[in-house]
Amino acid sequence: MQKSETIVYPVHYRLVVRRNDTWHFTKGDVFVNLFNVPILEQKDLFAVFGTTMKEVATELRRINNGHPGFYIADIKNKKYYYCGIQWEDVKAKLQELGIGRPDPMEA
């Protein structure tokens, strides 16, 4: 069985990848848009939550000294997390934060 690489999380959580001394802010697809609100560009989304991508990158650098890997930024609550270097680490961190649950088909 092929593992899914899809993860679903609230819009105020942003997945960021650190590679080769560069922060890569991922932009996923909208899964559900109950209120039919316009889809914002990344910089505008960060502005809605009172921050910038540069400010978030600075905070992420502080929590793990900018080491390579996956990070999660909760731009609504201004909380930042290092996940690890594997894709599975992102899912585990989101579950730790109360988002998602283990796939019962993988048990």
Side-chain angles (χ1 to χ4, degrees), residues 38-52:
I39 307 304
L40 299 175
E41 293 293 325
Q42 285 264 44
K43 66 180 177 73
D44 297 329
L45 178 66
F46 279 75
V48 164
F49 289 103
T51 192
T52 66

Side-chain angles (χ1 to χ4, degrees), residues 43-98:
K43 66 180 177 73
D44 297 329
L45 178 66
F46 279 75
V48 164
F49 289 103
T51 192
T52 66
M53 294 164 75
K54 184 176 182 176
E55 290 170 343
V56 168
T58 298
E59 293 300 322
L60 293 174
R61 189 174 295 111
R62 288 182 183 154
I63 65 169
N64 196 37
N65 210 21
H67 285 99
F70 294 98
Y71 292 77
I72 294 173
D74 175 351
I75 60 176
K76 176 182 173 188
N77 298 304
K78 311 295 188 273
K79 294 183 179 181
Y80 310 96
Y81 309 93
Y82 176 72
C83 300
I85 58 172
Q86 302 296 321
W87 183 247
E88 293 79 23
D89 299 331
V90 175
K91 289 183 179 184
K93 178 56 79 175
L94 285 169
Q95 289 173 9
E96 182 182 312
L97 296 171

Side-chain angles (χ1 to χ4, degrees), residues 5-11 29 31-32 87 91 94 99-101:
E5 293 190 18
T6 300
I7 54 175
V8 178
Y9 51 90
V11 69
D29 295 322
F31 179 70
V32 88
W87 183 247
K91 289 183 179 184
L94 285 169
I99 300 165
R101 60 181 183 236

Side-chain angles (χ1 to χ4, degrees), residues 6-20:
T6 300
I7 54 175
V8 178
Y9 51 90
V11 69
H12 62 88
Y13 283 87
R14 307 311 309 168
L15 180 59
V16 185
V17 184
R18 176 74 168 177
R19 267 187 257 133
N20 301 326

